[in-house]
Amino acid sequence: MPSIFRANALAGAAMMSLLAATAAGAVPTGKPEPWQMDFQPAVTPVMENIEDFHRLLLYIITAISLFVLALLLWIMVRYNRRANPTPSRTAHNTTLEVMWTIVPVIILVIIAIPSFKLLYYEADMPKPDLTIKAIGKQWFWSYEYPKTNFTFDSLGLSEGDAMKRHEPRLLGVDNVIVVPINKVVEVVTTGADVIHSWAVPAFGVKMDAVPGRLNTTWFKATQLGTFYGQCSELCGARHAFMPIEVKVVNQGDFATWLAGAKKKFAAIQTDTRVAALTK
Ligand SMILES: [Cu+2]
């Protein structure tokens, strides 16, 4: 084998093993990595299901692409001018036309079934253990823990502060959301000015935060760690500077944090008119 081909084969093999390592559940870092090619590793059941669905689609599109490539190569070799000097004048083939209509329909149905299953799974929230309200503002997030009655603002760190705190650039925040592991966390989103979107890739969560509306999503983190996300709806000049940071801790640490947060952060000021309406 010429050395250039051998080098290519080696590079190919290395790439395949890298992809396999990523697919086979790499250690979650909760943030995007340089040269990352796949999703961030899943840490919630919803994201695991999204990954499964993505893998199914990947197999299907790879098979279709290879099939089309094989057809193209076959036609180029078998039916070029030299190999086939007198071409056939056939214009229709009913069987073939019925087949190339029916087969894609069957493929779409095969995709639709798990797709709807996943949509229902995401939409059907289990009974929440904890509720957090995320309010998108130009350009930061405010969070409320309604059951424990406190609220705080969460601002993206400047580059200097991020470096000092060993936080990733454009992802670290000053006040982190803390949640317990293996608990269903309900996230209620809304916008204070324009539409924002609360998204954390490792959780498989992305929900628009619309002024005048309350949208609901949920996650159940099954691993400890810090997970990052970003506003995912173009909301103005500093859209790129309103990151999301969620720390998943065990129940004991959560209780300690909650006790401290109640003292540190302000009580939620319920608008008396809203309170009267919702009584
Ligand atoms: Cu935004």
Side-chain angles (χ1 to χ4, degrees):
M1 201 196 278
S3 65
I4 181 136
F5 289 130
R6 209 173 309 138
N8 269 341
L10 278 176
M15 184 62 97
M16 287 314 285
S17 58
L18 187 75
L19 284 177
T22 324
V27 184
T29 55
K31 61 180 197 297
E33 295 297 326
W35 296 100
Q36 181 184 336
M37 292 183 71
D38 210 342
F39 289 130
Q40 289 179 33
V43 290
T44 64
V46 167
M47 191 58 205
E48 278 165 21
N49 285 332
I50 293 175
E51 279 188 346
D52 284 347
F53 184 55
H54 167 72
R55 226 165 285 139
L56 168 76
L57 293 184
L58 208 59
Y59 291 140
I60 294 174
I61 58 171
T62 307
I64 293 173
S65 304
L66 290 176
F67 175 65
V68 173
L69 179 69
L71 283 182
L72 281 172
L73 290 173
W74 177 51
I75 287 162
M76 281 191 274
V77 173
R78 175 66 186 80
Y79 297 103
N80 65 42
R81 212 181 202 170
R82 240 178 306 142
N84 191 41
T86 38
S88 138
R89 304 191 66 84
T90 312
H92 290 283
N93 183 323
T94 312
T95 319
L96 199 60
E97 283 164 26
V98 168
M99 257 173 58
W100 77 42
T101 309
I102 303 267
V103 171
V105 169
I106 294 171
I107 294 173
L108 288 179
V109 171
I110 291 171
I111 293 173
I113 294 165
S115 166
F116 283 124
K117 250 173 96 176
L118 176 57
L119 270 178
Y120 283 118
Y121 182 67
E122 288 175 6
D124 190 14
M125 177 173 60
K127 197 181 168 307
D129 299 300
L130 171 72
T131 301
I132 298 173
K133 189 170 166 192
I135 307 154
K137 298 176 177 172
Q138 282 175 320
W139 286 277
F140 60 98
W141 292 94
S142 290
Y143 296 105
E144 288 179 5
Y145 280 61
K147 281 179 195 147
T148 21
N149 192 37
F150 66 83
T151 181
F152 60 89
D153 294 336
S154 182
L155 276 73
L157 295 172
S158 70
E159 231 160 281
D161 283 345
M163 211 124 84
K164 254 184 259 160
R165 297 192 193 192
H166 304 288
E167 287 275 359
R169 181 177 167 270
L170 296 184
L171 289 173
V173 301
D174 57 354
N175 291 317
V176 179
I177 314 164
V178 179
V179 297
I181 189 171
N182 289 328
K183 292 279 186 270
V184 176
V185 180
E186 175 188 32
V187 184
V188 180
T189 66
T190 190
D193 33 45
V194 298
I195 304 176
H196 303 267
S197 178
W198 198 86
V200 180
F203 294 170
V205 161
K206 181 177 283 178
M207 185 51 76
D208 272 11
V210 184
R213 274 190 69 120
L214 291 176
N215 284 342
T216 303
T217 185
W218 66 283
F219 66 85
K220 185 177 141 191
T222 52
Q223 292 190 49
L224 298 172
T226 306
F227 303 93
Y228 299 91
Q230 287 168 306
C231 176
S232 298
E233 181 65 66
L234 186 53
C235 59
R238 291 186 60 79
H239 164 62
F241 303 93
M242 48 183 297
I244 295 155
E245 185 175 348
V246 184
K247 208 167 162 191
V248 180
V249 297
N250 57 40
Q251 194 62 44
D253 290 346
F254 179 68
T256 316
W257 177 82
L258 208 58
K262 265 191 262 181
K263 281 190 211 123
K264 185 176 167 196
F265 299 125
I268 298 166
Q269 297 295 313
T270 314
D271 188 320
T272 45
R273 288 161 306 172
V274 175
L277 279 173
T278 49
K279 234 175 216 163

